[in-house]
Amino acid sequence: MLSIEQLKNLFPDWEQGLYESVLEHAELKEANAGEILLKKGQNIKSAMLVVEGTIKLYQEDEDGGEYFMYHLNPGEACAVTLVCNYHHEQSQVLAKAITDIKFLAIPVTYMEKWLNEFKSWHYFVIKTYRSRYEELLKTIHEVAFKNMDERLEFYIKKQVDQFGVTVKLTHQEIANDLNTSREVISRLLKKMEHNGWIKMNRNAFDWIKKQN
Amino acid sequence: MLSIEQLKNLFPDWEQGLYESVLEHAELKEANAGEILLKKGQNIKSAMLVVEGTIKLYQEDEDGGEYFMYHLNPGEACAVTLVCNYHHEQSQVLAKAITDIKFLAIPVTYMEKWLNEFKSWHYFVIKTYRSRYEELLKTIHEVAFKNMDERLEFYIKKQVDQFGVTVKLTHQEIANDLNTSREVISRLLKKMEHNGWIKMNRNAFDWIKKQN
DNA sequence: TGGGTGGTGTGATAAATATCACAATTTAAT
DNA sequence: ATTAAATTGTGATATTTATCACACCACCCA
């Protein structure tokens, strides 16, 4: 299990009692890069708090299409699984481990209990929802108003923020995340290379565009 | 001002003290159909709880494009304005009165105070965020995966749920809400008419498609 | 009653993206 | 080293949506 100091580093705004209750009742789980942590339609039985690694949240179409929404990092919670007051909630989204990860799984019963006991848990839940709500707003803005070239740039920048200037993704993987085809991404990346925005390698490229 | 009974009807899950505090500190405001209640980039100084009428939440592009997200009805709160703990938050979205409306404006200072005093306010805020988060998920699903014909059907159904089977909107208004052009909507509606899904009139049409 | 005005219909064309086909290249495996 | 698999490049074509141009029609109103 985690030490209370580790918990405090990850979640600095909590109350003392909350740390103790988390240590007592949450389960520390691990998953490997590539594992699906949350399927569409799956019943939610515990909340997920990221301890280590990165999780990707995305939507899935009936025909297998995907659309990337945002990443979850250590110290963040999966809003979808914070189903206070709602039992038997079904997930509308997918969560996949991008790296090897560790996370705390909190049974829904305790999530509700803590709402009554810990103010800091309340704030944490609200803060989580608010920040994810804002991520979704950005996603809608992109997909509703922008063409693929701009959406690709937006996507790459998120990858760069997350993992650094070397983006280790194949064209196909990017195309999946943006619900388009590999050819489209290949052509747009080639154009970015001509413009001097990226330096391409096999299975990866570097983002070298100077901002403004 | 409202009576405490009206408040209880609108927000049945609150504590007694919360009703009283709302009556004391919230301002009951009115607005006419068509009025913009929240502009993009506007500083949020009070939360909006709908008492009467319907509010439309949508996003705006830099080039004037729009995209409809969801409606707010009596008993619901605008998630964007529930900026607990965050001061000087800027709105990323627009809110417009679709009908004449009445709403309660709650100063941010009280919103935070109530988080400490009333459990039911906490639940209300969390519930609000959760339901709006889910609306945004649906919106992303439509705009990321569906063609305009399906998005139009999805849109019309939301209008029907809100205002009944007679949709009183011009093709241009629908086109604005879906960030497309009037011609596209006209042609798709014509197709729906041929398929027997709608009966068209001037400035309005009836949704007559039988479900499944 | 005869213009406006706003709403709708529709063809022609352009632009963005999707899809198909296949070549070329790099890496991994034997 | 040689083959197989994965990745990328690229032309051709189809589909979807956007844009332009203009006709037509209903309704208000001076």
Side-chain angles (χ1 to χ4, degrees):
Chain A
M1 203 12 158
L2 293 177
S3 73
I4 211 162
E5 278 70 33
Q6 289 175 296
L7 263 191
K8 282 187 183 177
N9 277 332
L10 285 166
F11 310 101
D13 300 328
W14 288 0
E15 291 148 282
Q16 184 67 25
L18 181 52
Y19 294 123
E20 289 160 6
S21 201
V22 165
L23 286 183
E24 190 171 350
H25 300 111
E27 191 181 349
L28 183 63
K29 295 190 173 181
E30 304 194 358
N32 297 322
E35 262 187 67
I36 305 259
L37 306 167
L38 196 61
K39 279 196 245 297
K40 194 166 177 176
Q42 180 178 328
N43 263 324
I44 294 164
K45 70 283 154 252
S46 62
M48 239 178 3
L49 308 198
V50 183
V51 168
E52 203 180 298
T54 304
I55 295 172
K56 153 179 147 179
L57 271 281
Y58 60 107
Q59 273 211 59
E60 198 184 52
D61 193 12
E62 296 75 36
D63 317 320
E66 297 183 2
Y67 204 89
F68 172 76
M69 298 192 299
Y70 53 78
H71 287 126
L72 285 182
N73 290 309
E76 298 180 330
C78 173
V80 183
T81 60
L82 287 177
V83 286
C84 334
N85 236 349
Y86 289 71
H87 293 282
H88 316 305
E89 195 75 18
Q90 306 251 95
S91 169
Q92 301 304 307
V93 304
L94 291 97
K96 181 194 263 187
I98 291 299
T99 65
D100 291 350
I101 62 162
K102 291 181 182 165
F103 64 98
L104 291 164
I106 299 174
V108 277
T109 49
Y110 284 100
M111 295 178 34
E112 276 187 52
K113 215 157 147 305
W114 295 343
L115 281 183
N116 294 322
E117 292 175 18
F118 301 112
K119 252 190 298 198
S120 58
W121 178 249
H122 252 136
Y123 280 111
F124 183 73
V125 171
I126 291 174
K127 203 176 100 184
T128 297
Y129 266 117
R130 174 158 194 86
S131 71
R132 295 312 136 185
Y133 180 92
E134 285 180 356
E135 290 293 333
L136 294 192
L137 285 183
K138 282 190 225 165
T139 302
I140 291 174
H141 195 269
E142 288 301 304
V143 71
F145 299 128
K146 309 289 192 170
N147 287 346
M148 198 50 84
D149 54 347
E150 295 179 278
R151 284 158 61 191
L152 176 57
E153 187 180 350
F154 182 76
Y155 174 84
I156 292 174
K157 282 177 180 167
K158 281 195 283 194
Q159 294 292 326
V160 168
D161 286 345
Q162 204 40 232
F163 299 113
V165 293
T166 298
V167 178
K168 297 188 193 65
L169 293 168
T170 66
H171 301 182
Q172 185 64 61
E173 288 172 315
I174 297 172
N176 290 343
D177 277 352
L178 293 175
N179 191 43
T180 183
S181 63
R182 199 263 317 159
E183 296 92 317
V184 171
I185 297 300
S186 286
R187 287 190 249 255
L188 289 176
L189 285 177
K190 191 124 284 264
K191 203 175 289 178
M192 286 186 176
E193 191 178 35
H194 283 145
N195 293 343
W197 296 9
I198 62 173
K199 189 178 156 303
M200 298 210 21
N201 300 302
R202 198 179 182 78
N203 296 319
F205 57 86
D206 293 323
W207 181 249
I208 56 177
K209 184 184 181 188
K210 288 181 277 296
Q211 292 312 327
N212 292 350
Chain B
M1 205 11 159
L2 294 176
S3 73
I4 211 161
E5 279 70 32
Q6 289 176 294
L7 262 193
K8 282 187 183 178
N9 277 331
L10 284 167
F11 309 101
D13 299 327
W14 288 0
E15 291 149 280
Q16 184 67 24
L18 181 51
Y19 294 122
E20 290 159 7
S21 200
V22 165
L23 286 183
E24 190 172 349
H25 300 111
E27 191 181 351
L28 183 63
K29 294 189 174 181
E30 305 195 356
N32 297 320
E35 260 186 67
I36 305 260
L37 306 167
L38 196 61
K39 280 195 244 298
K40 193 165 179 178
Q42 180 178 329
N43 261 324
I44 294 164
K45 69 283 154 252
S46 63
M48 241 178 2
L49 306 198
V50 184
V51 168
E52 204 180 296
T54 304
I55 294 172
K56 156 180 145 179
L57 271 280
Y58 59 107
Q59 274 212 55
E60 199 184 51
D61 192 13
E62 295 76 35
D63 318 320
E66 296 183 4
Y67 205 89
F68 173 75
M69 298 191 299
Y70 53 78
H71 287 127
L72 284 183
N73 290 309
E76 297 180 330
C78 173
V80 183
T81 59
L82 288 177
V83 285
C84 333
N85 236 348
Y86 287 74
H87 293 281
H88 316 304
E89 197 73 16
Q90 306 253 92
S91 169
Q92 301 304 307
V93 305
L94 290 96
K96 181 195 261 186
I98 292 297
T99 66
D100 291 349
I101 62 161
K102 291 181 182 165
F103 65 98
L104 291 165
I106 297 174
V108 277
T109 50
Y110 284 100
M111 294 177 38
E112 275 187 52
K113 216 156 145 307
W114 295 343
L115 282 183
N116 294 322
E117 291 176 17
F118 302 112
K119 252 191 296 200
S120 57
W121 177 250
H122 252 135
Y123 280 110
F124 182 75
V125 171
I126 291 174
K127 204 176 100 186
T128 297
Y129 265 117
R130 177 161 192 84
S131 71
R132 295 312 135 184
Y133 180 92
E134 284 180 357
E135 291 292 334
L136 294 191
L137 285 183
K138 282 190 225 165
T139 302
I140 291 174
H141 195 269
E142 289 300 306
V143 72
F145 299 129
K146 310 288 192 174
N147 288 346
M148 198 50 85
D149 54 346
E150 294 179 279
R151 284 158 61 189
L152 176 57
E153 188 182 350
F154 183 77
Y155 175 84
I156 293 173
K157 282 177 179 166
K158 281 194 283 194
Q159 294 293 324
V160 167
D161 287 344
Q162 201 43 230
F163 300 112
V165 293
T166 298
V167 178
K168 296 187 193 68
L169 293 169
T170 65
H171 300 182
Q172 184 64 62
E173 289 172 314
I174 298 172
N176 290 343
D177 277 351
L178 294 174
N179 192 42
T180 181
S181 63
R182 199 261 318 157
E183 296 93 316
V184 170
I185 298 300
S186 286
R187 287 190 249 253
L188 289 175
L189 285 176
K190 190 122 285 258
K191 204 176 287 179
M192 286 186 175
E193 191 178 34
H194 284 147
N195 293 344
W197 296 9
I198 63 173
K199 189 178 157 302
M200 298 213 18
N201 299 303
R202 199 182 181 73
N203 296 320
F205 57 87
D206 293 323
W207 182 248
I208 56 178
K209 185 185 181 188
K210 289 181 277 295
Q211 293 312 327
N212 294 349

